[in-house]
């Protein structure tokens, strides 16, 4: 090639003197095959820079070196094979490495593995290094396709290589073999079809993930709305209960308006007073009616346990003038010390009085009688 000078070996530095008969015989076969293909081929030719020396150097119709055929029977590492191949490439020379046994470097560089003839007159046979791409019809992604190595004679392989009918091809895994461009185009078409099918599958998978995400988001939104609805319903129930309680309280206040006036209790303090009653007794307590028989006091009923009947247990704020013949087991409940003083002054028999102050939240049980102001005081509010 232009700018590339070659030189044959001289008598002193010629490698022929030290090569084995097998190596020499293989070089002659390679040169013969190249010449049979219509090319000029020379043995042991190197470049002027002495960076490479070809066992067989093939020249084109203009006497430019373009292909080196290397009979590599001695050991060589894959790194050395790649380095020596690159040295040829610097000068624009391709190379094919030929061996007779399986070698560690044959997958990484253009190569052929040969089998010698078994009988006189038989041809050298290529066992590895030439490949075709087979793809069953119809050409769809579902039909089988694969690279398969083919066997041929050495003469056919060298002719196809030198005439450009096959080229060195590097597969996806880095393996190099000789094949026709039509096979490479077929493999590329298959790869594109597989890539398109994979893209369709990935798009479908992405769409499924998107739909699943939308479904999860919709389910989350439905759950949020349901929770919100439950919250609103609970709030509605709370407000309704609150409204009902307020209405019931208003009705109770209206019902007890006369008693509040009689007792001098503000309606707003009545819930606190009843809370003190229930807390002090430790029982369920309900209000009855204002009783003229008990000095217009308000009747209070309690029950000892759930399911039991309510029984009269006390009277709130009875008129002191009605304390004559007062039942000994009936507790008098008053909202403060002023009422207690009235009761003490009018007592004609021993009385039980519970002082429950709705303002201070103070509770005290008192026993009063006609001759002693205070018989027993229990400021702890724990009862008799």
């Amino acid at each position: 090639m232009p700018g590339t000078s070659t030189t044959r070996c001289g008598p002193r530095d010629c490698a022929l003197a030290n090569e084995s008969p097998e190596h020499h015989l293989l070089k002659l076969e390679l040169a013969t095959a190249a010449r049979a293909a219509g090319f000029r081929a020379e043995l042991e030719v190197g470049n002027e820079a002495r960076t490479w020396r070809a066992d067989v150097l093939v020249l084109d119709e203009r006497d430019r070196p373009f292909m080196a055929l290397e009979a590599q029977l001695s050991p060589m590492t894959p790194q050395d094979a790649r380095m020596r191949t690159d040295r040829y490439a610097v000068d624009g020379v391709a190379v094919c490495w030929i061996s007779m046994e399986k070698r560690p470097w044959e997958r990484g560089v253009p190569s052929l593995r040969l089998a010698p003839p078994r009988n006189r007159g038989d041809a050298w046979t290529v066992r590895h290094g030439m490949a075709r791409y087979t793809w069953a019809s119809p050409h769809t992604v579902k039909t089988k396709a694969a690279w398969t190595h083919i066997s041929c004679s050495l003469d056919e392989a060298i002719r196809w290589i030198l005439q450009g009918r096959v080229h060195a091809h590097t597969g996806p895994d880095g393996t190099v073999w000789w094949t026709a461009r039509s096979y490479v185009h077929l493999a590329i078409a298959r790869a594109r079809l597989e890539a398109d099918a994979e893209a369709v599958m990935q798009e479908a998978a992405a769409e499924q993930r998107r739909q699943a995400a939308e479904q999860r988001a919709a389910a989350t939104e439905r759950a949020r709305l349901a929770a919100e609805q439950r919250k609103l319903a609970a709030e509605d129930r709370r407000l309704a209960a609150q409204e009902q309680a307020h209405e019931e309280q208003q009705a109770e206040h209206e019902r007890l308006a006369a008693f509040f006036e009689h007792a001098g209790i503000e309606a707003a303090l009545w819930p606190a007073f009843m809370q003190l009653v229930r807390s002090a007794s430790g029982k369920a307590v309900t209000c009855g009616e204002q009783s003229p028989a008990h000095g217009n006091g308000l009747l209070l009923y309690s029950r000892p346990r759930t399911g039991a009947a309510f029984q009269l247990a006390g009277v709130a704020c009875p008129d002191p003038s009605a304390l004559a013949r007062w039942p000994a087991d009936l507790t008098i409940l008053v909202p403060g010390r002023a009422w207690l003083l009235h009761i003490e002054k009018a007592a004609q028999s021993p009385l039980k009085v519970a002082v429950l102050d709705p303002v201070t939240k103070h509770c005290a049980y008192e026993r009063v009688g006609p001759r002693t102001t205070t018989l027993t005081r229990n400021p702890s509010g724990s009862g008799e």
Side-chain angles (χ1 to χ4, degrees):
M1 298 185 71
T4 301
S5 300
T6 59
T7 177
R8 297 182 186 139
C9 63
R12 290 187 179 181
D13 61 354
C14 183
L16 296 175
N18 298 321
E19 69 180 350
S20 67
E22 293 82 1
H23 186 254
H24 183 64
L25 178 61
L26 182 54
K27 287 197 304 184
L28 292 178
E29 290 292 337
L30 295 175
T32 300
R35 291 163 185 161
F39 292 85
R40 178 185 165 196
E42 300 291 340
L43 276 66
E44 294 296 330
V45 180
N47 63 353
E48 289 187 353
R50 295 180 178 272
T51 56
W52 52 263
R53 179 183 296 278
D55 288 339
V56 177
L57 185 65
V58 183
L59 298 96
D60 63 13
E61 68 277 2
R62 298 173 61 181
D63 276 347
R64 296 176 301 182
F66 75 97
M67 174 68 69
L69 303 175
E70 287 286 354
Q72 189 64 36
L73 302 183
S74 59
M76 179 174 62
T77 65
Q79 293 77 15
D80 287 340
R82 185 72 264 169
M83 179 183 65
R84 292 174 65 182
T85 300
D86 292 342
R87 287 177 182 172
Y88 279 109
V90 170
D91 289 335
V93 178
V95 61
C96 180
W97 300 91
I98 294 93
S99 66
M100 296 173 61
E101 296 179 4
K102 186 176 181 179
R103 299 295 186 180
W105 44 262
E106 67 183 8
R107 293 173 59 89
V109 292
S111 63
L112 296 174
R113 191 197 309 160
L114 306 181
R118 294 184 177 181
N119 303 305
R120 185 180 296 275
D122 290 347
W124 287 72
T125 305
V126 174
R127 295 298 186 193
H128 185 275
M130 303 289 291
R132 68 162 58 95
Y133 191 76
T134 56
W135 189 0
S137 296
H139 289 173
T140 67
V141 73
K142 293 184 178 180
T143 56
K144 293 183 178 180
W147 285 100
T148 56
H149 288 281
I150 60 174
S151 295
C152 62
S153 68
L154 176 61
D155 287 347
E156 289 176 320
I158 296 300
R159 182 171 68 253
W160 295 342
I161 291 172
L162 297 182
Q163 292 179 357
R165 295 172 61 183
V166 297
H167 302 267
H169 171 70
T170 302
D173 62 350
T175 301
V176 181
W177 59 83
W178 296 96
T179 191
R181 293 192 185 277
S182 59
Y183 292 137
V184 175
H185 294 158
L186 195 61
I188 292 174
R190 170 68 183 228
R192 287 174 177 169
L193 194 62
E194 290 176 343
D196 291 343
E198 179 65 21
V200 170
M201 291 178 60
Q202 290 181 355
E203 184 177 353
E207 178 63 17
Q208 289 179 350
R209 291 193 297 272
R210 185 189 66 78
Q211 291 180 0
E214 287 183 351
Q215 291 174 358
R216 289 193 298 272
T220 301
E221 179 63 13
R222 288 194 298 271
R224 187 192 68 80
L225 291 175
E228 185 68 20
Q229 289 173 355
R230 290 193 297 271
K231 182 179 178 181
L232 292 174
E235 180 64 13
D236 289 343
R237 289 192 298 272
R238 186 190 68 81
L239 292 176
Q242 187 177 31
E243 180 65 21
Q244 182 179 359
H246 179 70
E247 291 176 357
E248 291 175 352
Q249 187 180 62
Q250 286 294 104
E252 182 72 357
H253 288 179
E254 291 176 5
R255 184 178 75 86
L256 300 176
F259 169 73
F260 292 157
E261 185 177 358
H262 160 75
I265 298 178
E266 295 181 13
L269 293 176
W270 182 246
F273 179 80
M274 286 303 299
Q275 179 62 35
L276 291 176
V277 171
R278 295 185 178 96
S279 178
S281 67
K283 301 175 183 178
V285 178
T286 184
C287 296
E289 298 294 334
Q290 200 171 353
S291 172
H294 296 81
N296 287 327
L298 187 68
L299 301 181
L300 299 177
Y301 298 87
S302 69
R303 62 182 179 184
R305 60 187 179 279
T306 303
F310 280 94
Q311 298 176 353
L312 182 62
V315 179
C317 303
D319 189 333
S321 63
L323 296 180
R325 297 184 303 279
W326 191 265
D329 60 342
L330 209 56
T331 303
I332 299 173
L333 299 95
V334 295
R337 305 299 297 183
W339 262 99
L340 177 61
L341 294 175
H342 295 320
I343 298 299
E344 288 177 343
K345 290 178 180 180
Q348 297 181 22
S349 62
L351 302 174
K352 294 183 295 182
V353 182
V355 182
L356 309 171
D357 193 329
V359 177
T360 64
K361 306 298 191 294
H362 178 75
C363 302
Y365 278 87
E366 307 285 351
R367 274 194 176 276
V368 299
R371 294 185 176 83
T372 177
T373 303
T374 302
L375 299 179
T376 303
R377 295 183 183 272
N378 185 3
S380 64
S382 59
E384 296 185 55

